[in-house]
């Protein structure tokens, strides 16, 4: 089983989905380490509740030196013999320092159907645009924000009475299905082939 690290900045519900998936015997990943740039992140508590090493590497002491912060993360990943990294609500843009070192071994989940709505406030922006189908994407991490090759997507129908909150909740349910499925495929197939079937929920 590959030793996987999950990077979080917040609540960690996607981390929870990955932990649950990895609890099943034939799953190809072990969640071996959780790192957060935010000391208060709920994901840290969740990880420790499951007996997983969870550590803070706060970005603030590094000031504007993103490279130094990322070098600290990279060092920790190597010390912990991590082989693959999942970003799960990790809310800092990464520089080529970390991205290049983990090329092909780092994936992210994003709450929209990329390439639509990269960045923040995806649900409000999807509503404002009037899209009728929305969802989430797991992609390889590259230097461009939310731009790497798409590995999997899950879609939902937008309802006429949706607001950003209700949309976020339904997309999040799909995130929790999609992320473990894509991580499994990435580890089993070396991340080279996209998902065979999109996950659709209408
Ligand atoms: C998730 O919806 C994830 O897709 C999003 O943050 C949320 C984290 O929730 N990520 C991004 O917006 C990345 N740009 P969680 O902490 O409960 O997993």
């Amino acid at each position: 089983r590959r030793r996987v690290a999950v990077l979080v900045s917040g609540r960690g519900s996607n981390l929870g989905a990955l932990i649950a998936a990895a609890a099943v015997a034939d799953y190809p990943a072990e969640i071996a380490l959780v790192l957060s740039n935010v000391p208060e992140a709920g994901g840290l508590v969740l990880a420790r509740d499951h007996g997983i090493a969870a550590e803070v590497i706060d970005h603030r002491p590094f000031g504007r030196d993103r490279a130094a912060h990322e070098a600290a993360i990279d060092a920790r990943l190597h010390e912990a013999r991590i082989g693959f990294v999942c970003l799960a609500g990790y809310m800092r843009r990464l520089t080529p320092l970390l991205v290049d070192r983990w090329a092909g071994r780092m994936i992210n989940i994003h709450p929209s159907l990329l390439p639509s709505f990269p960045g923040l406030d995806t649900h409000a922006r999807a509503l404002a645009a009037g899209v009728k189908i929305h969802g989430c994407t797991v992609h390889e991490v590259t230097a461009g924000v939310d731009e790497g090759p798409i590995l999997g997507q899950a879609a939902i129908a937008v309802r006429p009475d949706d607001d950003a909150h209700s949309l976020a909740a339904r997309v999040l349910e799909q995130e929790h299905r999609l992320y473990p499925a894509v991580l499994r495929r990435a580890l089993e197939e070396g991340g080279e082939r996209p998902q065979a079937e999109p996950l659709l929920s209408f």
Side-chain angles (χ1 to χ4, degrees):
R1 305 211 307 158
R2 194 87 79 96
R3 288 174 64 79
V4 171
V6 184
L7 270 53
V8 302
S9 297
R11 141 189 85 174
S13 71
N14 278 289
L15 166 65
L18 293 172
I19 291 172
V24 176
D26 78 331
Y27 198 75
E30 169 196 355
I31 308 304
L33 178 66
V34 171
L35 295 179
S36 177
N37 64 314
V38 177
E40 304 80 21
L44 292 165
V45 178
L46 183 69
R48 288 175 190 139
D49 284 351
H50 287 83
I52 297 167
E55 300 166 17
V56 177
I57 304 182
D58 195 334
H59 58 276
R60 289 172 297 189
F62 295 91
R64 292 190 180 182
D65 194 349
R66 285 178 180 271
H69 179 239
E70 291 183 7
I73 292 172
D74 188 54
R76 197 63 202 96
L77 295 173
H78 284 287
E79 278 164 14
R81 293 176 289 108
I82 296 302
F84 201 92
V85 177
C86 291
L87 308 182
Y90 185 72
M91 302 307 274
R92 276 181 80 76
R93 189 166 48 78
L94 296 178
T95 78
L97 186 133
L98 209 55
V99 170
D100 290 349
R101 287 187 192 179
W102 289 88
R105 295 181 299 152
M106 182 183 277
I107 62 178
N108 178 47
I109 188 154
H110 180 77
S112 76
L113 292 173
L114 292 172
S116 292
F117 314 118
L120 299 176
D121 298 322
T122 56
H123 307 301
R125 287 160 57 212
L127 283 175
V131 299
K132 304 305 176 207
I133 297 172
H134 184 45
C136 49
T137 302
V138 176
H139 63 95
E140 275 182 45
V141 177
T142 58
V145 175
D146 301 328
E147 275 183 8
I150 290 171
L151 300 176
Q153 294 188 308
I156 60 158
V158 179
R159 298 174 185 156
D161 59 348
D162 266 324
D163 57 19
H165 186 78
S166 64
L167 211 48
R170 287 210 311 294
V171 170
L172 193 64
E173 278 178 35
Q174 299 306 313
E175 294 186 39
H176 296 164
R177 293 172 66 211
L178 181 69
Y179 212 173
V182 174
L183 176 61
R184 172 191 279 280
R185 188 174 296 268
L187 294 179
E188 287 177 347
E189 300 183 353
E192 278 158 25
R193 271 182 278 166
Q195 82 189 61
E197 302 277 345
L199 293 175
L200 296 174
S201 172
F202 290 113

